[in-house]
């Protein structure tokens, strides 16, 4: 390694002063008692209740032809993924921390993965069923 005298590192804005260390977060993501906080909580809870109602209808009426044609196991996976997606927004309320940021991202990415894979497999299975029929 060579030593270069009078050479200083250049930071953002062509400054030689390093940025201050410290947290990059604001005090809170979102106040729970604000109007936006109430709106997000309302939509989260209503989405979770809709998922619960959908799961109840899917399980309770599974003997009906209409529900059986939806492929119950994939429908339950989609409902579970949607519930994870709704619950990922709970991490945005309150004091931010590393665990709340990571928890929200993990819940959201897991819900997206579950929903997209189950819809793709469901569509592939239905395509194989309808393309396998013989024409007379």
């Amino acid at each position: 390694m060579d030593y270069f005298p009078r050479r200083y590192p250049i930071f953002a804005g062509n400054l030689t002063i390093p940025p201050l260390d410290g947290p990059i977060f604001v005090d809170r993501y979102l106040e729970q008692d604000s109007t936006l906080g109430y709106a997000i909580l309302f939509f989260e809870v209503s989405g979770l209740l809709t998922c619960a109602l959908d799961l109840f209808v899917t399980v309770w009426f599974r003997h009906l032809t209409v529900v059986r044609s939806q492929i119950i196991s994939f429908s339950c996976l989609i409902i579970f993924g949607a519930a994870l997606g709704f619950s990922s927004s709970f991490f945005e309320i309150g004091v931010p921390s590393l665990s709340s940021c990571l928890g929200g991202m993990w819940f959201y990415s897991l819900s997206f993965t579950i929903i997209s894979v189950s819809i793709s497999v469901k569509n592939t299975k239905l395509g194989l069923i309808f393309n396998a029929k013989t024409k007379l």
Side-chain angles (χ1 to χ4, degrees), residues 3-136:
Y3 175 73
F4 296 104
R6 297 191 181 137
R7 296 279 183 171
Y8 300 106
I10 305 295
F11 296 100
N14 289 331
L15 297 175
T16 57
I17 302 170
L20 298 175
D21 290 337
I24 58 171
F25 296 117
V26 293
D27 289 340
R28 293 186 181 272
Y29 280 142
L30 184 62
E31 295 289 337
Q32 187 174 358
D33 55 350
S34 66
T35 306
L36 186 59
Y38 284 134
I40 287 178
L41 282 175
F42 171 76
F43 287 119
E44 286 174 357
V45 171
S46 62
L48 288 172
L49 288 176
T50 304
C51 289
L53 179 67
D54 192 14
L55 184 65
F56 173 75
V57 168
T58 301
V59 171
W60 188 260
F61 297 108
R62 67 181 174 266
H63 61 280
L64 296 177
T65 308
V66 175
V67 177
R68 275 188 308 188
S69 66
Q70 296 176 1
I71 308 173
I72 296 172
S73 58
F74 294 125
S75 296
C76 289
L77 276 175
I78 292 171
I79 294 167
F80 179 68
L84 279 177
F86 282 116
S87 60
S88 69
S89 299
F90 282 115
F91 290 101
E92 295 181 10
I93 295 176
V95 179
S97 65
L98 182 62
S99 60
S100 64
C101 290
L102 290 176
M105 286 289 99
W106 272 104
F107 269 53
Y108 182 73
S109 61
L110 185 63
S111 70
F112 178 76
T113 304
I114 289 173
I115 290 173
S116 61
V117 167
S118 60
I119 287 175
S120 301
V121 170
K122 186 176 183 179
N123 288 340
T124 304
K125 185 175 180 180
L126 288 176
L128 290 174
I129 290 172
F130 286 115
N131 290 332
K133 67 180 181 179
T134 58
K135 296 181 181 180
L136 300 174

